[in-house]
């Protein structure tokens, strides 16, 4: 659904506007999902590293609950804000 919208007469002008709107919403979602996937891949590649679970900013341990809820985050709650 993120492919270019063809100006088909069949769906009409308003429907086309809707389709374009939906497309940008979906594209934003897709972009966010890709970013999350990239971060997850990065974190996953570092699971065995000595500093895994350590906040990249303040060097304090990230609580296990946060790692379980947001495994893609490399910052503790405080530094992520
Ligand atoms: Zn931190």
């Amino acid at each position: 659904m993120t492919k270019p919208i063809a100006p088909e007469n069949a769906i009409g002008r308003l429907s086309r506007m809707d389709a374009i709107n939906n497309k940008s919403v979906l594209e934003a979602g897709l972009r966010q999902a890709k970013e999350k996937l990239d971060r997850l891949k990065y974190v996953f590649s570092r699971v065995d590293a000595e500093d895994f679970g350590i906040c990249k900013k303040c060097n304090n341990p990230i609580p296990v609950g946060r790692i379980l809820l947001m495994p893609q985050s490399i910052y503790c709650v405080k530094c992520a804000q």
Side-chain angles (χ1 to χ4, degrees):
M1 284 182 83
T2 58
K3 294 273 162 15
I5 312 292
E8 293 171 56
N9 295 330
I11 59 174
R13 194 161 177 267
L14 273 181
S15 302
R16 182 159 189 267
M17 297 298 280
D18 277 347
I20 289 170
N21 272 336
N22 288 342
K23 182 175 178 282
S24 52
V25 169
L26 287 169
E27 276 171 348
L30 188 61
R31 203 164 45 238
Q32 279 169 10
K34 277 181 180 161
E35 278 168 20
K36 183 176 177 181
L37 181 63
D38 282 345
R39 282 202 294 266
L40 280 172
K41 279 183 187 163
Y42 170 75
V43 170
F44 186 65
S45 72
R46 301 186 32 81
V47 156
D48 293 324
E50 224 164 86
D51 61 347
F52 175 75
I54 301 294
C55 173
K56 279 271 172 295
K57 237 184 229 173
C58 67
N59 285 321
N60 286 318
I62 301 172
V64 175
R66 175 165 173 80
I67 295 175
L68 289 176
L69 274 173
M70 294 195 62
Q72 75 274 24
S73 180
I74 55 171
Y75 302 118
C76 70
V77 181
K78 228 162 64 181
C79 295
Q81 286 169 349

